[in-house]
Amino acid sequence: MKIEANLRIFITGKTQSGKSFLAKHILQQFNNRVIYDIKREYSALGLVVRNFKDFEKAIKGGCNKVVYQPEDLSQEHFNDICGFIYKNLKNIMFCVDEVHNFCTKSFIPFEFKKLITITQGDPYRIGVISITQRPANTHNDIISNSSLYIAFKLNLRNDIKAVEDSTGIPEEQLQELPYRWFFVYNDRSEKETITKHKPL
């Protein structure tokens, strides 16, 4: 799956459904990437750092593939990292795994909101991939700003309903979707499209 560098992409699905596998495939297309990896699943995709000081050192030292595995899992720390990216980086893909831990239904950190709302075009050209098991618990600003919505198998009723409401993918098809298969909802063209994909 070929992805443009500055897109907003939302990937959802239950545990082990295939979303991390697909995200890794997408991320490997980009020479410049930062991955916020709280589950420590993306270590092979860049220089691993675990605190702000080492993250800043890596970026200012010219490293263009960084996997940030934070020791501090607070929303405040995530906001600080997003603010640093906003002020210091351009032409990168920023991936946030388990984004619902930081951007709940009722709260989104201010600096991350700036990344998803104002950095798609010049001079920033920052792409954002938001990954979650719980679309029903994820802030609507993330979903509404995503032009590519990728849905793997889901089981929980409210999560399935959230995807159906956002994309029109039928509830029964999400429940019956085999593991590693996924739907792609794309609203970038004049006519919105929903396509079903086999595993990579």
Side-chain angles (χ1 to χ4, degrees), residues 94-109:
F94 179 44
C95 176
V96 184
D97 196 19
E98 302 300 343
V99 71
H100 64 273
N101 286 289
F102 311 105
C103 305
T104 65
K105 201 69 178 172
S106 59
F107 174 80
I108 183 169

Side-chain angles (χ1 to χ4, degrees), residues 130-147:
S130 302
I131 306 171
T132 181
Q133 300 176 38
R134 300 303 317 278
N137 294 353
T138 303
H139 201 279
N140 283 335
D141 282 357
I142 298 172
I143 296 169
S144 63
N145 279 283
S146 296
S147 54

